[in-house]
């Protein structure tokens, strides 16, 4: 077959170019040890990616895969490739490409960018008329399996070194295409699940469940407003609290690879996830924002297991699927990282098209993992759908941003939660909050740009710990004269039958260790010659995502004592705590309405009055943590309403993320509140805390990324009064 150099010379004689491995040169040339192996070099803008195992070989001690240039002049030097930040020397076994703008790069580095649609210079941002293309390696490097580019056809031929870009129309001049391969009409090309591994895990799960069956069940408790009511007294608004707690977090398994100084949890399998991320790559995401997004996505990819599946949608003026729903095996991770790191920011913001394709992936998939979710991130406002809505522009119909199948009135039964993340001060918080509310997801406000990875970590920490599916709570009145008044369940769908004797709440999925509290209002009749009144009976049913079994649980009957004379007891602190939460959430909603109507003074007054009321409750006097957190949160919201500018920049998004958190009783990111010590993290579970800790550990291990983050911390210009 001849030596590799002979093949290179032949290719060069034909005006072609191939990738030549440096570690296996057959002509006894000495290798320059000052350069790291080419297999460790990242593509453009991969500088902030988490430490990733891009090859099967371990990194050399001298390699620095997160190295950042200290100055633009150094990175753009003719002696250094500005993509991989290593030296460019002629005769070192690496082809060099010099663009028409006179900037030079390793041919392998720049060709990797170009094949994913980047047709501008990474240094001067000039648009190229001629671009480099690369054919497949004749001989892959020793010890490394070839990884084909994502969604690109395989072939055995060689491509020409340079291809001239045809002129584009003015309408598409500023839009950089993501991929050239066409998308299928139906997204039924998802990678099949590994049923052999899945069945093995289920058998293991069932055997272990037999030993700790009670620990794996949802726990139900009930609390009455007061323990006793006098026999002759009646009440039309008597409150009963129903508390549900999911099984503990010690049953979920860490899906990622071992990393230094990061705790591992490997006790037993967990429910695998189908995850679709819909990412904004419009022009406003250029620079640090996009780099941080890539790093955050790298963390997500590295922490998904081989049974989890991921697909990524990137949207700008249009939307494109980067790759199909595929398992995050070793190869799947590598391909996903390559695809994400190839993204280029440009164009407008078409959130509706991005969501349409994200939902279509979930609808068209051939097989389904037990858990499914969509993550949406945007830093701007939809300029293609909401702006064209007919009617009043003051009250846009954000429901149009979601596909019809996601609308509640559609009745199709398709329900995939969309967890929305608003990035920076310019995103449309109202639309992102509406999208999450309609779909059953949460809305998080990422005010501090360095928190984006932690915010994603908190979200997937929950998604990777789902232990309860499709939970429903059923409430039935026992005493013939007791009737249901209302069910205070936040955003959870609930229904009371016309006879007011039975009701239900659709809770859905629960993460490990999550709790849900619902307040039931009933009447209490008089009880003649009776020492006790039976009020309610509560039961629930749900699906176990691991064993696929349906579990039905019945709680204890709710009763109250009926003495002849009852002493004036204080309200139960458990009931008082949840009444405070609902009261604070109602005040937030009223304050937001006043602020949207331009009356900031009234909005601040509403929040201040609520703070005063909370300070007089039983919970406040007992120094209850939730009550303290609510007071701190209301105060923070007041500070974000000091002016119209401050409210528009951060106040609206902060309030909406708070409302989302309290209505779903689930942790959301607010500003920099992913820190577990923050008072507003009342709903953060141990699984979320562990994943955020993992994220922060990876950031601490990246001093170059820390240097970049230090000058710019917050998008908000809001003053911080003290």
């Amino acid at each position: 077959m001849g030596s590799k150099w002979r093949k290179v010379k032949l290719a060069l004689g034909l005006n072609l170019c191939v990738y030549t491995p440096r570690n296996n040169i057959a002509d006894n040339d000495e290798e320059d040890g000052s350069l790291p192996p080419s297999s460790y070099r990242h593509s453009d803008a991969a500088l902030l990616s988490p430490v990733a195992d891009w090859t099967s070989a371990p990194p050399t001690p001298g390699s620095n895969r997160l190295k950042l240039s200290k100055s633009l002049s150094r990175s753009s030097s003719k002696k250094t490739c500005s993509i991989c930040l290593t030296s460019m020397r002629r005769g070192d076994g690496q082809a060099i490409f010099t663009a028409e703008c006179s900037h030079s790069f390793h041919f392998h580095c720049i060709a990797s960018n170009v094949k994913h649609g980047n047709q501008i210079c990474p240094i001067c941002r000039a648009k190229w008329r001629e671009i480099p293309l690369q054919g497949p390696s004749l001989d892959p490097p020793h010890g490394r399996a070839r990884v084909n580019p994502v969604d690109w056809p395989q072939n055995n031929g060689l491509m020409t070194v340079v291809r001239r870009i045809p002129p584009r129309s003015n309408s598409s001049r500023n839009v950089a295409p993501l991929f050239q391969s066409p998308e299928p009409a139906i997204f039924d090309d998802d990678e099949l699940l590994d049923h052999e591994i899945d069945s093995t895990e289920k058998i293991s799960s069932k055997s272990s469940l037999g030993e700790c069956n009670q620990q794996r069940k949802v726990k139900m408790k009930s609390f009455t407003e007061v323990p006793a009511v006098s026999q002759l007294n009646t009440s039309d608004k008597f409150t009963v609290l129903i508390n549900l707690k999911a099984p503990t977090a010690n049953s979920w398994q860490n899906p990622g690879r071992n990393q230094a100084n990061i705790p591992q949890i490997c006790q037993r399998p967990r429910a695998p996830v189908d995850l679709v991320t819909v990412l904004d790559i419009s022009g406003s995401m250029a620079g640090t924002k996009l780099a941080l997004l890539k790093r955050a996505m790298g963390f997500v990819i590295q922490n998904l297991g081989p049974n989890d599946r991921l697909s990524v949608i990137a949207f700008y003026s249009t939307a494109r699927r980067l790759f199909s729903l595929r398992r995050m095996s070793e190869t799947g991770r590598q391909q996903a990282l390559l695809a994400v790191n190839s993204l280029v920011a440009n164009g407008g913001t078409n959130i509706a098209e991005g969501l349409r394709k994200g939902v279509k992936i979930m609808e068209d998939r051939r097989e389904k993992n037990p858990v499914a979710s969509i993550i949406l991130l945007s830093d701007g406002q939809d300029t293609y759908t909401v702006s064209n809505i007919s009617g009043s522009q003051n009250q846009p119909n954000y429901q149009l941003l979601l596909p019809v199948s996601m609308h509640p009135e559609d009745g199709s039964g398709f329900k995939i939660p969309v967890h929305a993340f608003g990035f920076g001060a310019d995103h449309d918080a109202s639309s992102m909050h509406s999208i999450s509310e309609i779909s059953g997801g949460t809305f998080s406000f990422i005010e501090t740009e360095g928190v984006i990875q932690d915010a994603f970590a908190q979200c997937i920490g929950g998604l990777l710990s789902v232990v309860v599916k499709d939970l429903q709570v059923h409430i039935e009145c026992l005493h013939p004269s007791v009737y249901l008044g209302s069910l205070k369940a936040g955003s959870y769908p609930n229904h009371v039958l016309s006879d007011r004797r039975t009701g239900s709440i659709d809770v859905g999925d629960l993460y490990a260790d999550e709790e849900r509290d619902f307040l039931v209002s009933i009447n209490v009749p008089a009880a003649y010659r009776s020492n006790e009144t039976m009020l309610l009976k509560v039961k629930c049913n749900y699906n176990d995502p691991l064993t696929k079994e349906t579990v039905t649980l019945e709680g204890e009957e709710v009763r109250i004592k009926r003495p002849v004379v009852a002493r004036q007891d204080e309200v139960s602190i458990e009931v008082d705590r949840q009444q405070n939460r609902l009261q604070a959430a109602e005040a937030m909603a009223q304050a937001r309405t006043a602020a949207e109507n331009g009356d900031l003074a009234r909005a601040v007054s509403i929040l201040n009055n609520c703070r005063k009321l909370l300070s007089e409750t039983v919970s406040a006097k007992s120094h209850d943590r939730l009550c303290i957190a609510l007071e701190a949160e209301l105060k923070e919201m007041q500070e974000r309403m000091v002016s119209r500018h401050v409210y528009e920049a951060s106040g609206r998004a902060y309030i909406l993320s708070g409302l989302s958190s309290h209505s779903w009783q689930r942790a959301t990111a607010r500003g920099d509140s992913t820190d577990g010590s923050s008072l507003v993290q009342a709903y953060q579970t141990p699984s979320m805390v562990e994943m955020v800790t993992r994220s922060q550990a990876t950031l601490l291990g990246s001093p170059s990324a820390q240097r970049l983050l230090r000058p710019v911390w917050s998008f908000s210009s809001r003053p911080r009064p003290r």
Side-chain angles (χ1 to χ4, degrees), residues 652-713:
R652 177 187 292 115
Y654 191 91
I655 289 179
L656 289 175
S657 62
L659 286 172
S660 177
S661 180
H662 292 304
S663 64
W664 295 110
Q665 300 181 56
R666 180 162 282 171
T668 62
R670 273 166 276 175
D672 56 358
S673 64
T674 53
D675 183 1
S677 63
S678 174
L679 288 175
V680 300
Q681 286 307 314
Y683 307 109
Q684 210 175 39
T685 67
S687 302
M688 294 178 179
V689 173
E690 194 275 338
M691 193 61 73
V692 172
T693 302
R694 183 186 301 277
S695 169
Q696 294 171 349
T698 63
L699 296 180
L700 291 175
S702 172
S704 54
Q706 291 296 311
R707 286 197 299 271
L708 177 65
L709 291 176
R710 192 173 297 124
V712 184
W713 277 107

Side-chain angles (χ1 to χ4, degrees), residues 14-88:
L14 296 173
N15 292 326
L16 304 177
C17 186
V18 296
Y19 168 68
T20 59
R22 298 180 61 251
N23 295 333
N24 295 304
I25 299 176
D27 292 345
N28 298 324
D29 292 66
E30 293 184 1
E31 182 174 338
D32 186 359
S34 62
L35 295 179
S38 61
S39 58
Y40 295 120
R41 297 179 188 155
H42 288 183
S43 58
D44 182 28
L47 305 178
L48 292 176
S49 299
V51 179
D53 186 8
W54 286 75
T55 70
S56 58
T60 59
S63 66
N64 183 4
R65 292 180 286 178
L66 289 174
K67 184 176 181 181
L68 293 172
S69 59
K70 294 184 179 179
S71 66
L72 182 61
S73 61
R74 177 180 175 182
S75 65
S76 60
S77 172
K78 291 185 178 180
K79 297 181 180 180
T80 304
C81 175
S82 63
I83 297 177
C84 65
L85 300 181
T86 57
S87 299
M88 293 188 297

